[in-house]
Every structure is written in structure tokens, then in C-alpha cells.
Amino acid sequence: MHPFPPSVNIESIETRKVLKRLATVRACLAELKGVAKTIPNENILIDTLSLQEAKDSSEIENIVTTHDELYQSGQQLRVFSSAAAKEVHRYAKALKRGYSHVRDQGIISLNLIIEIQEIIEGNNAGIRKVPGTVLKDELTNKVVYEPPQNHGDIMSLLSNLEKFINNEPTYDVDPLVKMALIHHQFESIHPFYDGNGRTGRIINLLYLIKEKLLSMPVLYLSRYIIKHREEYYHLLQSTRDSQNWEPWVLYMLNAVEQTSLETIALIGEIKLTMQKVKNSLRDQQPKIYSQDLLNNLFRHPYTRITLVQQDLGVSRITATRYLEALCDIDVLTKVKIGRNSYYVNHQLFGILGAID
């Protein structure tokens, strides 16, 4: 394979069809960016939607978990209801780590990409050094693509891609088009023994944040890829074979548009539900109402006494009293799972659980 930028003319990538779609897609993305800012605490969206992206991205790799398992688990408490849920939470942790770095540093470095993959996989195997990695058709077991095998070649291609991501001012294409090119190149380099797909999908979000098209990682493109998985893999390979970039770029633009619209609607539902719960608290439990408590309920669809203690800085007795009072007015539902008690924000869980 060849280093970037692609050797074909820019006009054959930013075709008339692509340019026509860009205006609509950028408008959808701008609306999403604005809507996301209307939620009072960004951690509400980051914590809930990053888990949705993590769940869907992991499902592409056949790591499947339920919404119940997902929200019963948590990095804060280091409690995981299943091995799959633990993997999904590692992905969400990697996404948030990448977001924090790009927000503060403004670059997507190779070291950051390696760190993200290490968090996802829970090991430090690093860049492939042993040859033999091939991609096969799951049905026929036939080899469909052989990525670069030599460690030196892989490192050279990654270094080249790092420069393309961060400082390629002479390659004047729209950032959304560039994101599509970056994703294709990263997946084609396939630098890791495992976790390439999930790492590549995190890079998509980080690049949109780097380019200020998003202010936080709330666009979960993996849901679109799940729905159109066969087309995704077909276009990855056909683009490698033909260097005809238009179909691939249009696919990625469609993914951004569709998931932007879905996420706008989802945030709208969350915002409306937050207001309803806020009104219930103020009307029926004014003595315990606080914005911090409301934020806790919407950061953790399955909250626990310990989480309320941590988030609000209150005693266990006070946290328990708050949660029981919220059950009394039907804001929360208490459930016992094993030896643990969870307080479920059933309205929020209903919104998130309906995404599938």
C-alpha cells in the first residue's frame, strides 16, 4: 500500500456528488454540535452516549452486551456484570481518554493512538511485529486482504498518517472527506494484532473534535456501520482495489448525516425527560433537589448509593435517603441484583434502551 495523501486527483475524491452531500451533512453536524451544548453538564452526554458508541463499536467485533449489563457496570466502581460489559467500558474509557487529550492538546498523535488501543485491549502488545496477519471472509474463510507485514513498513505508514492527520495543509479537502480517507488508511494499515476497528472508529470522533466540527464525542457512527456492515467491508476492499474513492466517501458522509439526525433526536428526548424529572423533584421533593443530584441521575441510568456519595459529596445515609425519596415519587425504581442495590432511572433507560 502507499503513503498518504492519495495519488489520485482531489477532484476525483471531492466529486460533484460528494460536494453536494457535504453541505447537507455539515449542516446536520453543526446542529448536533449546537444541541449537545444545551445539556447543562457535558458529562451526562459523554457518559451515556460514549457507552452507546462503545456498545455498538464492540458489537461489530462480536462483543455483545445488553443495556442492563452495560449500565449495571462502571469504571468508577470497578464493577462489571459480564466480560463483554468490561470490554465495552474499556472502549468508553479509551474514547474519553482520547477526547480529553485532543481537547487539551489539539492533535492526534501516534502515541495517543497506541494508548487508545492499549486501553481497549487491556494489554500493551503494541504495533504488529510478527508477520502473518490477514483479513478473511467470515463465511468462506478466504483471504480478502493482506495488510503490510513488515514492522518497519507499518511504522513508516503510521508516521505518514500521523502527519496527514495533523499537518497536511497542502491537501485541501473538506475535513469530513479527510476523516473518511484517514479511516480507510488506518484500517488498511491494520497496525495492531487486535482492536484495529474499534481504535479506528474512535479516531473518527477525535478527528471531528480536532477539526471543531464536534465539541464532544456524542456521534456514534458505529450504529450506522452495524446496520450497513456488508457495504462497509465491501467498500473498504473495493476502494483498495480500484482507488475509486467516491463510493467510500459518500458512505461515510451518509453515516455522519444519519447518526447526527438520530443523536439530535436522542438528545432532545433526554433534555425533555431531564426537565420533567427536574419539575417532579422541585414539586414533590424540594428539600433534596439540586442540579448535582439531577446530573447524577442522568449520568448513571443505573445509579448506586456510592455514586451519589461521590458525585454529591454526601454521607451514605444522606445518599440513601435521597434515592429512597426518589423511588417514592416514581423517579427511580429500586432493583436488587445479587448483593447490590441499583436505582434505575427508568425513563432515561427507556430512551437509551430503545436505540437498538
Side-chain angles (χ1 to χ4, degrees), residues 53-108:
E53 167 64 16
K55 178 180 181 294
D56 289 342
S57 186
S58 299
E59 188 173 325
I60 296 170
E61 313 302 328
N62 296 315
I63 300 165
V64 180
T65 185
T66 66
H67 280 90
D68 286 296
E69 290 175 336
L70 196 60
Y71 294 117
Q72 289 163 20
S73 306
Q75 290 285 349
Q76 278 182 268
L77 301 176
R78 297 185 181 278
V79 173
F80 302 98
S81 58
S82 67
K86 186 174 184 178
E87 287 208 47
V88 171
H89 275 272
R90 280 206 306 256
Y91 180 100
K93 180 181 178 182
L95 174 57
K96 286 189 273 190
R97 168 66 186 115
Y99 165 60
S100 174
H101 180 92
V102 172
R103 181 192 58 198
D104 296 341
Q105 304 297 324
I107 62 169
I108 302 172

Side-chain angles (χ1 to χ4, degrees), residues 24-268:
T24 304
V25 177
R26 285 186 71 100
C28 291
L29 204 54
E31 183 180 355
L32 172 59
K33 183 179 179 181
V35 167
K37 289 181 178 179
T38 65
I39 298 293
N41 185 318
E42 72 168 20
N43 288 318
I44 291 169
L45 293 182
I46 292 172
D47 286 351
T48 55
L49 298 191
S50 67
L51 274 179
Q52 290 297 326
E53 167 64 16
K55 178 180 181 294
D56 289 342
S57 186
S58 299
E59 188 173 325
I60 296 170
E61 313 302 328
N62 296 315
I63 300 165
V64 180
T65 185
T66 66
H67 280 90
D68 286 296
E69 290 175 336
L70 196 60
Y71 294 117
Q72 289 163 20
S73 306
Q75 290 285 349
Q76 278 182 268
L77 301 176
R78 297 185 181 278
V79 173
F80 302 98
S81 58
S82 67
K86 186 174 184 178
E87 287 208 47
V88 171
H89 275 272
R90 280 206 306 256
Y91 180 100
K93 180 181 178 182
L95 174 57
K96 286 189 273 190
R97 168 66 186 115
Y99 165 60
S100 174
H101 180 92
V102 172
R103 181 192 58 198
D104 296 341
Q105 304 297 324
I107 62 169
I108 302 172
S109 66
L110 179 53
N111 285 338
L112 177 64
I113 292 171
I114 292 171
E115 182 183 356
I116 286 168
Q117 190 269 347
E118 287 180 353
I119 295 172
I120 289 171
E121 287 298 309
N123 62 49
N124 59 354
I127 307 297
R128 287 187 290 116
K129 294 180 180 177
V130 180
T133 295
V134 294
L135 305 184
K136 295 182 178 181
D137 185 301
E138 291 183 359
L139 295 177
T140 65
N141 208 35
K142 178 183 176 182
V143 173
V144 294
Y145 177 64
E146 182 176 314
Q149 300 293 309
N150 181 275
H151 180 71
D153 293 339
I154 296 170
M155 292 303 299
S156 177
L157 287 163
L158 284 173
S159 177
N160 164 258
L161 183 60
E162 179 186 38
K163 291 175 184 174
F164 184 76
I165 291 171
N166 294 294
N167 51 15
E168 190 60 65
T170 59
Y171 199 74
D172 188 21
V173 295
D174 188 277
L176 285 171
V177 174
K178 194 171 177 182
M179 182 202 74
L181 301 181
I182 290 166
H183 186 67
H184 190 280
Q185 182 76 342
F186 180 82
E187 296 304 323
S188 295
I189 297 170
H190 207 77
F192 302 111
Y193 295 105
D194 203 0
N196 294 281
R198 284 168 288 170
T199 302
R201 289 187 285 276
I202 285 178
I203 293 171
N204 287 339
L205 277 171
L206 299 185
Y207 187 74
L208 294 177
I209 290 165
K210 173 187 173 296
E211 294 299 312
K212 305 191 186 310
L213 294 175
L214 282 178
S215 54
M216 62 184 84
V218 295
L219 184 74
Y220 47 105
L221 293 172
S222 296
R223 187 178 179 214
Y224 183 91
I225 293 173
I226 284 176
K227 290 181 178 179
H228 306 88
R229 190 187 309 210
E230 287 187 16
E231 186 181 5
Y232 173 79
Y233 287 117
H234 168 73
L235 287 173
L236 274 174
Q237 188 56 40
S238 65
T239 305
R240 292 180 191 123
D241 293 337
S242 68
Q243 288 298 295
N244 176 15
W245 288 93
E246 183 187 75
W248 169 257
V249 172
L250 289 172
Y251 175 92
M252 292 299 287
L253 292 179
N254 288 338
V256 172
E257 179 184 30
Q258 187 63 42
T259 50
S260 292
L261 293 171
E262 290 171 352
T263 310
I264 289 165
L266 177 63
I267 293 172

Side-chain angles (χ1 to χ4, degrees), residues 77 304-311 316 319 323:
L77 301 176
R304 291 177 61 178
I305 295 168
T306 304
L307 292 174
V308 174
Q309 284 183 264
Q310 291 175 359
D311 288 357
R316 185 172 183 84
L323 292 170

